[in-house]
Every structure is written in C-alpha cells, then in structure tokens.
PDB file of all heavy atoms in Angstrom:
ATOM      1  N   ASP A 248     -30.712  41.251-202.196  1.00 96.00           N
ATOM      2  CA  ASP A 248     -30.485  41.806-203.528  1.00 96.00           C
ATOM      3  C   ASP A 248     -31.781  41.971-204.316  1.00 96.00           C
ATOM      4  O   ASP A 248     -31.888  42.869-205.149  1.00 96.00           O
ATOM      5  CB  ASP A 248     -29.508  40.936-204.322  1.00 96.00           C
ATOM      6  CG  ASP A 248     -28.079  41.024-203.792  1.00 96.00           C
ATOM      7  OD1 ASP A 248     -27.793  41.919-202.950  1.00 96.00           O
ATOM      8  OD2 ASP A 248     -27.254  40.182-204.208  1.00 96.00           O
ATOM      9  N   SER A 249     -32.776  41.119-204.048  1.00 94.00           N
ATOM     10  CA  SER A 249     -34.050  41.209-204.763  1.00 94.00           C
ATOM     11  C   SER A 249     -34.940  42.318-204.218  1.00 94.00           C
ATOM     12  O   SER A 249     -35.950  42.665-204.821  1.00 94.00           O
ATOM     13  CB  SER A 249     -34.800  39.874-204.682  1.00 94.00           C
ATOM     14  OG  SER A 249     -35.366  39.701-203.382  1.00 94.00           O
ATOM     15  N   GLY A 250     -34.581  42.860-203.061  1.00 94.00           N
ATOM     16  CA  GLY A 250     -35.422  43.884-202.436  1.00 94.00           C
ATOM     17  C   GLY A 250     -36.574  43.304-201.636  1.00 94.00           C
ATOM     18  O   GLY A 250     -37.566  43.985-201.369  1.00 94.00           O
ATOM     19  N   ALA A 251     -36.445  42.056-201.239  1.00 94.00           N
ATOM     20  CA  ALA A 251     -37.512  41.370-200.500  1.00 94.00           C
ATOM     21  C   ALA A 251     -37.837  42.087-199.196  1.00 94.00           C
ATOM     22  O   ALA A 251     -36.964  42.672-198.554  1.00 94.00           O
ATOM     23  CB  ALA A 251     -37.099  39.925-200.204  1.00 94.00           C
ATOM     24  N   ARG A 252     -39.110  41.996-198.812  1.00 95.00           N
ATOM     25  CA  ARG A 252     -39.588  42.507-197.530  1.00 95.00           C
ATOM     26  C   ARG A 252     -40.430  41.421-196.895  1.00 95.00           C
ATOM     27  O   ARG A 252     -41.171  40.716-197.575  1.00 95.00           O
ATOM     28  CB  ARG A 252     -40.421  43.778-197.698  1.00 95.00           C
ATOM     29  CG  ARG A 252     -39.615  44.957-198.186  1.00 95.00           C
ATOM     30  CD  ARG A 252     -38.632  45.408-197.108  1.00 95.00           C
ATOM     31  NE  ARG A 252     -37.785  46.499-197.515  1.00 95.00           N
ATOM     32  CZ  ARG A 252     -36.523  46.373-197.872  1.00 95.00           C
ATOM     33  NH1 ARG A 252     -35.952  45.197-197.909  1.00 95.00           N
ATOM     34  NH2 ARG A 252     -35.802  47.415-198.207  1.00 95.00           N
ATOM     35  N   LEU A 253     -40.326  41.302-195.573  1.00 95.00           N
ATOM     36  CA  LEU A 253     -41.011  40.245-194.839  1.00 95.00           C
ATOM     37  C   LEU A 253     -41.864  40.850-193.733  1.00 95.00           C
ATOM     38  O   LEU A 253     -41.401  41.710-192.989  1.00 95.00           O
ATOM     39  CB  LEU A 253     -39.982  39.290-194.227  1.00 95.00           C
ATOM     40  CG  LEU A 253     -40.512  38.128-193.402  1.00 95.00           C
ATOM     41  CD1 LEU A 253     -41.330  37.179-194.269  1.00 95.00           C
ATOM     42  CD2 LEU A 253     -39.357  37.396-192.727  1.00 95.00           C
ATOM     43  N   LYS A 254     -43.091  40.360-193.641  1.00 96.00           N
ATOM     44  CA  LYS A 254     -43.969  40.733-192.531  1.00 96.00           C
ATOM     45  C   LYS A 254     -44.353  39.441-191.811  1.00 96.00           C
ATOM     46  O   LYS A 254     -44.820  38.490-192.446  1.00 96.00           O
ATOM     47  CB  LYS A 254     -45.221  41.440-193.037  1.00 96.00           C
ATOM     48  CG  LYS A 254     -46.172  41.820-191.917  1.00 96.00           C
ATOM     49  CD  LYS A 254     -47.406  42.508-192.448  1.00 96.00           C
ATOM     50  CE  LYS A 254     -48.338  42.819-191.295  1.00 96.00           C
ATOM     51  NZ  LYS A 254     -49.619  43.319-191.783  1.00 96.00           N
ATOM     52  N   LEU A 255     -44.100  39.402-190.507  1.00 96.00           N
ATOM     53  CA  LEU A 255     -44.433  38.234-189.690  1.00 96.00           C
ATOM     54  C   LEU A 255     -45.493  38.616-188.666  1.00 96.00           C
ATOM     55  O   LEU A 255     -45.363  39.635-187.993  1.00 96.00           O
ATOM     56  CB  LEU A 255     -43.193  37.711-188.955  1.00 96.00           C
ATOM     57  CG  LEU A 255     -42.069  37.179-189.815  1.00 96.00           C
ATOM     58  CD1 LEU A 255     -40.852  36.876-188.957  1.00 96.00           C
ATOM     59  CD2 LEU A 255     -42.516  35.941-190.571  1.00 96.00           C
ATOM     60  N   GLU A 256     -46.514  37.778-188.564  1.00 97.00           N
ATOM     61  CA  GLU A 256     -47.547  37.939-187.544  1.00 97.00           C
ATOM     62  C   GLU A 256     -47.522  36.670-186.687  1.00 97.00           C
ATOM     63  O   GLU A 256     -47.830  35.575-187.177  1.00 97.00           O
ATOM     64  CB  GLU A 256     -48.915  38.119-188.186  1.00 97.00           C
ATOM     65  CG  GLU A 256     -49.019  39.373-189.030  1.00 97.00           C
ATOM     66  CD  GLU A 256     -50.346  39.483-189.756  1.00 97.00           C
ATOM     67  OE1 GLU A 256     -51.238  38.628-189.556  1.00 97.00           O
ATOM     68  OE2 GLU A 256     -50.483  40.434-190.547  1.00 97.00           O
ATOM     69  N   PRO A 257     -47.128  36.788-185.420  1.00 97.00           N
ATOM     70  CA  PRO A 257     -47.019  35.601-184.559  1.00 97.00           C
ATOM     71  C   PRO A 257     -48.337  34.838-184.440  1.00 97.00           C
ATOM     72  O   PRO A 257     -49.394  35.446-184.307  1.00 97.00           O
ATOM     73  CB  PRO A 257     -46.610  36.180-183.203  1.00 97.00           C
ATOM     74  CG  PRO A 257     -46.010  37.511-183.517  1.00 97.00           C
ATOM     75  CD  PRO A 257     -46.741  38.014-184.717  1.00 97.00           C
ATOM     76  N   ARG A 258     -48.236  33.505-184.520  1.00 97.00           N
ATOM     77  CA  ARG A 258     -49.384  32.617-184.330  1.00 97.00           C
ATOM     78  C   ARG A 258     -49.288  31.903-182.990  1.00 97.00           C
ATOM     79  O   ARG A 258     -50.159  32.008-182.168  1.00 97.00           O
ATOM     80  CB  ARG A 258     -49.437  31.567-185.450  1.00 97.00           C
ATOM     81  CG  ARG A 258     -49.809  32.097-186.788  1.00 97.00           C
ATOM     82  CD  ARG A 258     -49.955  30.954-187.802  1.00 97.00           C
ATOM     83  NE  ARG A 258     -50.996  30.027-187.397  1.00 97.00           N
ATOM     84  CZ  ARG A 258     -50.813  28.715-187.180  1.00 97.00           C
ATOM     85  NH1 ARG A 258     -49.632  28.167-187.326  1.00 97.00           N
ATOM     86  NH2 ARG A 258     -51.812  27.952-186.820  1.00 97.00           N
ATOM     87  N   GLU A 259     -48.214  31.124-182.822  1.00 97.00           N
ATOM     88  CA  GLU A 259     -48.056  30.290-181.632  1.00 97.00           C
ATOM     89  C   GLU A 259     -46.592  30.195-181.256  1.00 97.00           C
ATOM     90  O   GLU A 259     -45.718  30.205-182.124  1.00 97.00           O
ATOM     91  CB  GLU A 259     -48.576  28.873-181.878  1.00 97.00           C
ATOM     92  CG  GLU A 259     -50.048  28.764-182.188  1.00 97.00           C
ATOM     93  CD  GLU A 259     -50.930  28.981-180.970  1.00 97.00           C
ATOM     94  OE1 GLU A 259     -50.456  28.761-179.836  1.00 97.00           O
ATOM     95  OE2 GLU A 259     -52.085  29.373-181.158  1.00 97.00           O
ATOM     96  N   ILE A 260     -46.342  30.079-179.957  1.00 98.00           N
ATOM     97  CA  ILE A 260     -44.998  29.795-179.448  1.00 98.00           C
ATOM     98  C   ILE A 260     -45.146  28.733-178.372  1.00 98.00           C
ATOM     99  O   ILE A 260     -45.965  28.875-177.462  1.00 98.00           O
ATOM    100  CB  ILE A 260     -44.331  31.048-178.840  1.00 98.00           C
ATOM    101  CG1 ILE A 260     -44.146  32.121-179.911  1.00 98.00           C
ATOM    102  CG2 ILE A 260     -42.986  30.682-178.207  1.00 98.00           C
ATOM    103  CD1 ILE A 260     -43.635  33.434-179.370  1.00 98.00           C
ATOM    104  N   ARG A 261     -44.382  27.661-178.484  1.00 98.00           N
ATOM    105  CA  ARG A 261     -44.335  26.610-177.475  1.00 98.00           C
ATOM    106  C   ARG A 261     -42.890  26.485-177.026  1.00 98.00           C
ATOM    107  O   ARG A 261     -42.018  26.177-177.838  1.00 98.00           O
ATOM    108  CB  ARG A 261     -44.796  25.271-178.034  1.00 98.00           C
ATOM    109  CG  ARG A 261     -46.203  25.263-178.565  1.00 98.00           C
ATOM    110  CD  ARG A 261     -47.210  25.198-177.416  1.00 98.00           C
ATOM    111  NE  ARG A 261     -48.550  25.003-177.929  1.00 98.00           N
ATOM    112  CZ  ARG A 261     -49.413  25.986-178.149  1.00 98.00           C
ATOM    113  NH1 ARG A 261     -49.072  27.222-177.903  1.00 98.00           N
ATOM    114  NH2 ARG A 261     -50.608  25.729-178.607  1.00 98.00           N
ATOM    115  N   GLN A 262     -42.643  26.762-175.764  1.00 98.00           N
ATOM    116  CA  GLN A 262     -41.284  26.716-175.243  1.00 98.00           C
ATOM    117  C   GLN A 262     -41.158  25.615-174.203  1.00 98.00           C
ATOM    118  O   GLN A 262     -41.987  25.494-173.310  1.00 98.00           O
ATOM    119  CB  GLN A 262     -40.921  28.061-174.596  1.00 98.00           C
ATOM    120  CG  GLN A 262     -39.508  28.089-174.059  1.00 98.00           C
ATOM    121  CD  GLN A 262     -39.171  29.405-173.388  1.00 98.00           C
ATOM    122  OE1 GLN A 262     -39.849  30.407-173.595  1.00 98.00           O
ATOM    123  NE2 GLN A 262     -38.136  29.373-172.580  1.00 98.00           N
ATOM    124  N   VAL A 263     -40.107  24.816-174.345  1.00 98.00           N
ATOM    125  CA  VAL A 263     -39.739  23.803-173.362  1.00 98.00           C
ATOM    126  C   VAL A 263     -38.261  24.011-173.067  1.00 98.00           C
ATOM    127  O   VAL A 263     -37.416  23.795-173.937  1.00 98.00           O
ATOM    128  CB  VAL A 263     -39.989  22.371-173.888  1.00 98.00           C
ATOM    129  CG1 VAL A 263     -39.540  21.348-172.854  1.00 98.00           C
ATOM    130  CG2 VAL A 263     -41.447  22.171-174.259  1.00 98.00           C
ATOM    131  N   ASP A 264     -37.990  24.493-171.878  1.00 98.00           N
ATOM    132  CA  ASP A 264     -36.618  24.784-171.471  1.00 98.00           C
ATOM    133  C   ASP A 264     -35.948  25.701-172.492  1.00 98.00           C
ATOM    134  O   ASP A 264     -36.411  26.805-172.714  1.00 98.00           O
ATOM    135  CB  ASP A 264     -35.820  23.496-171.228  1.00 98.00           C
ATOM    136  CG  ASP A 264     -36.429  22.646-170.109  1.00 98.00           C
ATOM    137  OD1 ASP A 264     -36.924  23.236-169.120  1.00 98.00           O
ATOM    138  OD2 ASP A 264     -36.422  21.419-170.239  1.00 98.00           O
ATOM    139  N   ASP A 265     -34.879  25.226-173.150  1.00 98.00           N
ATOM    140  CA  ASP A 265     -34.111  26.061-174.064  1.00 98.00           C
ATOM    141  C   ASP A 265     -34.454  25.828-175.535  1.00 98.00           C
ATOM    142  O   ASP A 265     -33.675  26.187-176.424  1.00 98.00           O
ATOM    143  CB  ASP A 265     -32.618  25.841-173.849  1.00 98.00           C
ATOM    144  CG  ASP A 265     -32.159  26.394-172.517  1.00 98.00           C
ATOM    145  OD1 ASP A 265     -32.823  27.312-171.986  1.00 98.00           O
ATOM    146  OD2 ASP A 265     -31.132  25.929-172.002  1.00 98.00           O
ATOM    147  N   VAL A 266     -35.630  25.242-175.799  1.00 98.00           N
ATOM    148  CA  VAL A 266     -36.073  25.003-177.171  1.00 98.00           C
ATOM    149  C   VAL A 266     -37.476  25.591-177.331  1.00 98.00           C
ATOM    150  O   VAL A 266     -38.306  25.485-176.427  1.00 98.00           O
ATOM    151  CB  VAL A 266     -36.093  23.493-177.491  1.00 98.00           C
ATOM    152  CG1 VAL A 266     -36.647  23.239-178.882  1.00 98.00           C
ATOM    153  CG2 VAL A 266     -34.697  22.901-177.369  1.00 98.00           C
ATOM    154  N   ALA A 267     -37.712  26.218-178.483  1.00 98.00           N
ATOM    155  CA  ALA A 267     -39.027  26.792-178.745  1.00 98.00           C
ATOM    156  C   ALA A 267     -39.480  26.424-180.151  1.00 98.00           C
ATOM    157  O   ALA A 267     -38.687  26.427-181.097  1.00 98.00           O
ATOM    158  CB  ALA A 267     -38.998  28.302-178.601  1.00 98.00           C
ATOM    159  N   LEU A 268     -40.763  26.088-180.264  1.00 98.00           N
ATOM    160  CA  LEU A 268     -41.420  25.885-181.546  1.00 98.00           C
ATOM    161  C   LEU A 268     -42.241  27.145-181.794  1.00 98.00           C
ATOM    162  O   LEU A 268     -43.045  27.546-180.949  1.00 98.00           O
ATOM    163  CB  LEU A 268     -42.327  24.655-181.504  1.00 98.00           C
ATOM    164  CG  LEU A 268     -43.210  24.411-182.719  1.00 98.00           C
ATOM    165  CD1 LEU A 268     -42.370  24.131-183.954  1.00 98.00           C
ATOM    166  CD2 LEU A 268     -44.169  23.263-182.437  1.00 98.00           C
ATOM    167  N   VAL A 269     -42.009  27.780-182.938  1.00 98.00           N
ATOM    168  CA  VAL A 269     -42.635  29.055-183.252  1.00 98.00           C
ATOM    169  C   VAL A 269     -43.343  28.939-184.594  1.00 98.00           C
ATOM    170  O   VAL A 269     -42.836  28.288-185.511  1.00 98.00           O
ATOM    171  CB  VAL A 269     -41.572  30.184-183.323  1.00 98.00           C
ATOM    172  CG1 VAL A 269     -42.182  31.497-183.733  1.00 98.00           C
ATOM    173  CG2 VAL A 269     -40.836  30.297-181.999  1.00 98.00           C
ATOM    174  N   SER A 270     -44.504  29.573-184.693  1.00 98.00           N
ATOM    175  CA  SER A 270     -45.214  29.619-185.962  1.00 98.00           C
ATOM    176  C   SER A 270     -45.723  31.042-186.188  1.00 98.00           C
ATOM    177  O   SER A 270     -46.263  31.670-185.282  1.00 98.00           O
ATOM    178  CB  SER A 270     -46.390  28.636-185.958  1.00 98.00           C
ATOM    179  OG  SER A 270     -47.063  28.678-187.197  1.00 98.00           O
ATOM    180  N   ASN A 271     -45.511  31.531-187.395  1.00 97.00           N
ATOM    181  CA  ASN A 271     -45.948  32.873-187.795  1.00 97.00           C
ATOM    182  C   ASN A 271     -46.724  32.790-189.102  1.00 97.00           C
ATOM    183  O   ASN A 271     -46.489  31.890-189.916  1.00 97.00           O
ATOM    184  CB  ASN A 271     -44.731  33.777-188.063  1.00 97.00           C
ATOM    185  CG  ASN A 271     -43.919  34.059-186.840  1.00 97.00           C
ATOM    186  OD1 ASN A 271     -44.328  34.820-185.996  1.00 97.00           O
ATOM    187  ND2 ASN A 271     -42.745  33.434-186.739  1.00 97.00           N
ATOM    188  N   ASN A 272     -47.611  33.755-189.319  1.00 97.00           N
ATOM    189  CA  ASN A 272     -48.146  33.991-190.650  1.00 97.00           C
ATOM    190  C   ASN A 272     -47.167  34.933-191.313  1.00 97.00           C
ATOM    191  O   ASN A 272     -46.831  35.985-190.758  1.00 97.00           O
ATOM    192  CB  ASN A 272     -49.537  34.617-190.590  1.00 97.00           C
ATOM    193  CG  ASN A 272     -50.575  33.641-190.076  1.00 97.00           C
ATOM    194  OD1 ASN A 272     -50.545  32.468-190.403  1.00 97.00           O
ATOM    195  ND2 ASN A 272     -51.481  34.124-189.258  1.00 97.00           N
ATOM    196  N   ALA A 273     -46.668  34.545-192.480  1.00 96.00           N
ATOM    197  CA  ALA A 273     -45.626  35.318-193.154  1.00 96.00           C
ATOM    198  C   ALA A 273     -46.114  35.822-194.505  1.00 96.00           C
ATOM    199  O   ALA A 273     -46.798  35.105-195.235  1.00 96.00           O
ATOM    200  CB  ALA A 273     -44.383  34.456-193.347  1.00 96.00           C
ATOM    201  N   THR A 274     -45.724  37.047-194.817  1.00 97.00           N
ATOM    202  CA  THR A 274     -45.955  37.619-196.136  1.00 97.00           C
ATOM    203  C   THR A 274     -44.619  38.129-196.642  1.00 97.00           C
ATOM    204  O   THR A 274     -44.023  39.028-196.046  1.00 97.00           O
ATOM    205  CB  THR A 274     -46.970  38.782-196.077  1.00 97.00           C
ATOM    206  OG1 THR A 274     -48.182  38.323-195.492  1.00 97.00           O
ATOM    207  CG2 THR A 274     -47.245  39.322-197.481  1.00 97.00           C
ATOM    208  N   LEU A 275     -44.134  37.525-197.727  1.00 95.00           N
ATOM    209  CA  LEU A 275     -42.862  37.911-198.337  1.00 95.00           C
ATOM    210  C   LEU A 275     -43.169  38.595-199.664  1.00 95.00           C
ATOM    211  O   LEU A 275     -43.856  38.025-200.521  1.00 95.00           O
ATOM    212  CB  LEU A 275     -41.986  36.678-198.564  1.00 95.00           C
ATOM    213  CG  LEU A 275     -40.603  36.912-199.146  1.00 95.00           C
ATOM    214  CD1 LEU A 275     -39.727  37.698-198.174  1.00 95.00           C
ATOM    215  CD2 LEU A 275     -39.947  35.577-199.504  1.00 95.00           C
ATOM    216  N   THR A 276     -42.680  39.823-199.820  1.00 95.00           N
ATOM    217  CA  THR A 276     -42.883  40.554-201.071  1.00 95.00           C
ATOM    218  C   THR A 276     -41.524  40.894-201.673  1.00 95.00           C
ATOM    219  O   THR A 276     -40.500  40.865-200.999  1.00 95.00           O
ATOM    220  CB  THR A 276     -43.679  41.851-200.819  1.00 95.00           C
ATOM    221  OG1 THR A 276     -42.997  42.640-199.845  1.00 95.00           O
ATOM    222  CG2 THR A 276     -45.091  41.550-200.336  1.00 95.00           C
ATOM    223  N   GLY A 277     -41.553  41.207-202.971  1.00 92.00           N
ATOM    224  CA  GLY A 277     -40.334  41.634-203.644  1.00 92.00           C
ATOM    225  C   GLY A 277     -39.547  40.525-204.291  1.00 92.00           C
ATOM    226  O   GLY A 277     -38.513  40.789-204.893  1.00 92.00           O
ATOM    227  N   VAL A 278     -40.010  39.284-204.175  1.00 88.00           N
ATOM    228  CA  VAL A 278     -39.275  38.169-204.778  1.00 88.00           C
ATOM    229  C   VAL A 278     -39.970  37.628-206.026  1.00 88.00           C
ATOM    230  O   VAL A 278     -39.477  36.719-206.661  1.00 88.00           O
ATOM    231  CB  VAL A 278     -39.046  37.021-203.766  1.00 88.00           C
ATOM    232  CG1 VAL A 278     -38.132  37.468-202.652  1.00 88.00           C
ATOM    233  CG2 VAL A 278     -40.354  36.496-203.220  1.00 88.00           C
ATOM    234  N   GLY A 279     -41.110  38.179-206.360  1.00 86.00           N
ATOM    235  CA  GLY A 279     -41.864  37.760-207.537  1.00 86.00           C
ATOM    236  C   GLY A 279     -43.011  38.714-207.756  1.00 86.00           C
ATOM    237  O   GLY A 279     -43.189  39.679-207.000  1.00 86.00           O
ATOM    238  N   PRO A 280     -43.818  38.434-208.763  1.00 92.00           N
ATOM    239  CA  PRO A 280     -44.920  39.355-209.065  1.00 92.00           C
ATOM    240  C   PRO A 280     -46.020  39.364-207.989  1.00 92.00           C
ATOM    241  O   PRO A 280     -46.695  40.362-207.813  1.00 92.00           O
ATOM    242  CB  PRO A 280     -45.454  38.846-210.402  1.00 92.00           C
ATOM    243  CG  PRO A 280     -44.997  37.434-210.495  1.00 92.00           C
ATOM    244  CD  PRO A 280     -43.724  37.341-209.702  1.00 92.00           C
ATOM    245  N   GLU A 281     -46.166  38.279-207.269  1.00 94.00           N
ATOM    246  CA  GLU A 281     -47.190  38.171-206.235  1.00 94.00           C
ATOM    247  C   GLU A 281     -46.535  37.944-204.872  1.00 94.00           C
ATOM    248  O   GLU A 281     -45.488  37.296-204.791  1.00 94.00           O
ATOM    249  CB  GLU A 281     -48.129  36.997-206.534  1.00 94.00           C
ATOM    250  CG  GLU A 281     -48.892  37.134-207.837  1.00 94.00           C
ATOM    251  CD  GLU A 281     -49.886  38.286-207.804  1.00 94.00           C
ATOM    252  OE1 GLU A 281     -50.505  38.515-206.748  1.00 94.00           O
ATOM    253  OE2 GLU A 281     -50.029  38.968-208.844  1.00 94.00           O
ATOM    254  N   PRO A 282     -47.159  38.419-203.805  1.00 96.00           N
ATOM    255  CA  PRO A 282     -46.638  38.111-202.465  1.00 96.00           C
ATOM    256  C   PRO A 282     -46.655  36.606-202.209  1.00 96.00           C
ATOM    257  O   PRO A 282     -47.528  35.892-202.705  1.00 96.00           O
ATOM    258  CB  PRO A 282     -47.609  38.826-201.528  1.00 96.00           C
ATOM    259  CG  PRO A 282     -48.317  39.827-202.368  1.00 96.00           C
ATOM    260  CD  PRO A 282     -48.336  39.278-203.762  1.00 96.00           C
ATOM    261  N   VAL A 283     -45.682  36.135-201.432  1.00 94.00           N
ATOM    262  CA  VAL A 283     -45.641  34.740-201.007  1.00 94.00           C
ATOM    263  C   VAL A 283     -46.203  34.693-199.591  1.00 94.00           C
ATOM    264  O   VAL A 283     -45.661  35.302-198.674  1.00 94.00           O
ATOM    265  CB  VAL A 283     -44.203  34.185-201.036  1.00 94.00           C
ATOM    266  CG1 VAL A 283     -44.165  32.751-200.516  1.00 94.00           C
ATOM    267  CG2 VAL A 283     -43.619  34.280-202.438  1.00 94.00           C
ATOM    268  N   LEU A 284     -47.329  33.989-199.428  1.00 95.00           N
ATOM    269  CA  LEU A 284     -47.977  33.846-198.135  1.00 95.00           C
ATOM    270  C   LEU A 284     -47.687  32.457-197.603  1.00 95.00           C
ATOM    271  O   LEU A 284     -47.793  31.469-198.338  1.00 95.00           O
ATOM    272  CB  LEU A 284     -49.487  34.043-198.262  1.00 95.00           C
ATOM    273  CG  LEU A 284     -49.942  35.334-198.938  1.00 95.00           C
ATOM    274  CD1 LEU A 284     -51.454  35.330-199.114  1.00 95.00           C
ATOM    275  CD2 LEU A 284     -49.489  36.542-198.155  1.00 95.00           C
ATOM    276  N   SER A 285     -47.333  32.364-196.328  1.00 96.00           N
ATOM    277  CA  SER A 285     -47.062  31.052-195.749  1.00 96.00           C
ATOM    278  C   SER A 285     -47.290  31.082-194.248  1.00 96.00           C
ATOM    279  O   SER A 285     -47.423  32.145-193.646  1.00 96.00           O
ATOM    280  CB  SER A 285     -45.631  30.600-196.052  1.00 96.00           C
ATOM    281  OG  SER A 285     -44.689  31.414-195.380  1.00 96.00           O
ATOM    282  N   THR A 286     -47.314  29.901-193.669  1.00 96.00           N
ATOM    283  CA  THR A 286     -47.351  29.726-192.222  1.00 96.00           C
ATOM    284  C   THR A 286     -46.059  29.039-191.843  1.00 96.00           C
ATOM    285  O   THR A 286     -45.794  27.922-192.281  1.00 96.00           O
ATOM    286  CB  THR A 286     -48.564  28.872-191.793  1.00 96.00           C
ATOM    287  OG1 THR A 286     -49.753  29.520-192.255  1.00 96.00           O
ATOM    288  CG2 THR A 286     -48.616  28.713-190.292  1.00 96.00           C
TER     289      THR A 286
END
C-alpha cells in the first residue's frame, strides 16, 4: 500500500542439506523520505 520497492544484491549463501543461511544488501524505497539500507 505504501508503494515500497525492494532491491536485493546477494552477498552470501550457506546451504546445509535443506536449510540455507542467506545474506543480501537490501535497499527499500517508498516507505519514508529516505531509502532504508540494510544487510
């Protein structure tokens, strides 16, 4: 509803059998005046 947009850039993936740990650099826009940057 806020019009948010998300951009993900993969950092790391660690997979063990049927479980994976994933990390991305994320940029979320449209939820406030400034983009939200996170890992």
Side-chain angles (χ1 to χ4, degrees):
D248 289 349
S249 75
R252 293 292 178 257
L253 179 64
K254 179 180 178 188
L255 296 172
E256 297 175 4
R258 289 185 61 238
E259 297 286 336
I260 297 174
R261 300 283 188 264
Q262 181 182 342
V263 178
D264 299 323
D265 291 336
V266 176
L268 173 64
V269 176
S270 181
N271 294 286
N272 290 321
T274 304
L275 182 66
T276 56
V278 294
E281 298 294 323
V283 177
L284 307 175
S285 67
T286 302

